Amino acid sequence: YIFFKQWFSLKSYFNKKGIQVIGDMPFYVNYHSVDLWNNSGIFKLDESKRSSHVSGVPPDYFSETGQLWGDPVYNWNELKERAYSWWIHRMKYCLNFFDIVRIDHFRAFLAYWEVQAGEKTALNGKWTEGPREDFFNVLLKHFPYLPVIAEDLGVITPDVKEIIQHFNFPGMRILLFAFDENLPENPYAPHNHIKNCVVYTGTHDNNTVKGWFENEATPESKDRVYRYIGHEVSAANIHWEFIKLAMMSVADMVIIPAQDILGLGEEARMNLPATPQGNWKWRLNSEGITASVIYKLGEMTYIYGRA
């Protein structure tokens, strides 16, 4: 009660200032949630109401054995029989809290990686078809204007891109992913951005820009950055170059983590995927928000037409 009271007071303050709040909707819910125990029929459970299959993703950028999240997966046939009512209530609930909802793991609406319960890694999973267009056709009958961001990172197949374009949902572009050997055609590179997308320097799952530059970027990646921006740059200033690239993009929306605005290194990383401990501990204080930082960010915001 106290949290909700404080939250809606804060959101009201933001909205009066012309600031919208983006909230993150996880694709799955926890096995121990009230959602599962009050709606057990819409999940893949065995006779003892234990998960028969659990969620995850195959080997990817973050992990050689994939990511075994362990959440129960949906019984989409049952959800369809119920006209997706649980998801409609969930979306309505989230839009009460936030002005825009970022749907995490969006690709799972097309196909999701499910793993037999009891497996130790996500390696032995399989792709299973999701509800696809049918789900969004029903959802949009209830929400003619659906302010969502589609998290379309990871293993993205052409049908996922087609769905996003068909329903005109903005996807995501991550600058930290741009500077590989495929730079000219890389969809994350600024010259390949489209208007209807959200560009990030990095997300909560990535290292900070400075942390990436100091600890993860190969000499070849750094060289591509230098050639792309037209000059060499130090670790102390790399974050401003990435912020500038994001601001210059044709993307309708730009999101910059506070750690990148402050030029912080790997010590300020928010989350390391596939690791259950030590995450989400960084906190923002006012010490680094100096007049020069405010001026520089404000100047870029104005110059690139994002004021």
Side-chain angles (χ1 to χ4, degrees), residues 165-267:
Q165 290 173 2
H166 176 75
F167 290 104
N168 206 32
F169 297 140
M172 294 171 60
R173 301 290 186 274
I174 312 301
L175 291 186
L176 287 177
F177 295 161
F179 298 99
D180 62 9
E181 62 279 358
N182 191 40
L183 175 60
E185 291 81 37
N186 190 314
Y188 298 110
H191 64 274
N192 290 322
H193 291 175
I194 59 174
K195 277 188 65 63
N196 190 33
C197 76
V198 185
V199 59
Y200 297 70
T201 49
T203 75
H204 57 278
D205 283 336
N206 298 109
N207 209 332
T208 66
V209 168
K210 184 179 180 183
W212 170 83
F213 189 79
E214 290 181 321
N215 302 298
E216 296 179 17
T218 64
E220 292 78 15
S221 293
K222 290 182 181 180
D223 183 60
R224 283 187 282 269
V225 171
Y226 301 152
R227 290 162 62 195
Y228 199 82
I229 64 178
H231 57 86
E232 291 193 12
V233 64
S234 68
N237 291 310
I238 187 65
H239 61 293
W240 284 120
E241 294 294 342
F242 270 62
I243 291 171
K244 185 188 294 184
L245 287 175
M247 292 283 198
M248 291 170 67
S249 168
V250 297
D252 286 335
M253 191 184 296
V254 169
I255 294 179
I256 304 159
Q259 295 97 318
D260 289 342
I261 292 172
L262 301 180
L264 301 179
E266 190 169 62
E267 74 284 352

Side-chain angles (χ1 to χ4, degrees), residues 3-18:
F3 171 80
F4 289 166
K5 187 176 179 181
Q6 292 178 346
W7 172 254
F8 286 114
S9 174
L10 183 63
K11 183 177 181 294
S12 174
Y13 175 80
F14 285 150
N15 292 161
K16 286 175 183 175
K17 295 285 186 181

Side-chain angles (χ1 to χ4, degrees), residues 38-207:
N38 203 38
N39 304 276
S40 58
I42 66 171
F43 298 93
K44 290 187 177 180
L45 308 177
D46 63 19
E47 294 176 355
S48 302
K49 291 200 174 181
R50 299 179 186 275
S51 296
S52 61
H53 297 82
V54 294
S55 62
V57 288
D60 60 8
Y61 171 86
F62 296 109
S63 174
E64 292 180 355
T65 58
Q67 298 178 45
L68 186 64
W69 298 332
D71 302 304
V73 296
Y74 298 109
N75 180 342
W76 283 108
N77 290 331
E78 180 63 26
L79 275 161
K80 185 175 182 177
E81 285 288 319
R82 302 185 188 192
Y84 307 112
S85 58
W86 179 85
W87 268 97
I88 291 163
H89 287 303
R90 189 184 192 205
M91 182 61 71
K92 183 178 180 180
Y93 186 81
C94 284
L95 289 174
N96 190 37
F97 278 83
F98 312 114
D99 302 296
I100 301 169
V101 173
R102 173 190 173 275
I103 303 178
D104 193 46
H105 198 45
F106 183 90
R107 68 138 302 118
F109 287 115
L110 282 294
Y112 58 93
W113 190 253
E114 70 173 15
V115 183
Q116 194 84 26
E119 289 282 342
K120 301 301 181 186
T121 73
L123 278 173
N124 295 323
K126 65 175 183 177
W127 288 109
T128 304
E129 189 166 297
R132 307 179 73 84
E133 297 95 330
D134 185 63
F135 171 77
F136 294 106
N137 287 329
V138 173
L139 197 65
L140 287 166
K141 288 178 182 176
H142 293 266
F143 306 97
Y145 169 65
L146 190 59
V148 300
I149 296 170
E151 185 273 294
D152 54 351
L153 308 176
V155 182
I156 300 301
T157 49
D159 57 347
V160 180
K161 296 176 183 177
E162 288 169 12
I163 283 280
I164 289 173
Q165 290 173 2
H166 176 75
F167 290 104
N168 206 32
F169 297 140
M172 294 171 60
R173 301 290 186 274
I174 312 301
L175 291 186
L176 287 177
F177 295 161
F179 298 99
D180 62 9
E181 62 279 358
N182 191 40
L183 175 60
E185 291 81 37
N186 190 314
Y188 298 110
H191 64 274
N192 290 322
H193 291 175
I194 59 174
K195 277 188 65 63
N196 190 33
C197 76
V198 185
V199 59
Y200 297 70
T201 49
T203 75
H204 57 278
D205 283 336
N206 298 109
N207 209 332

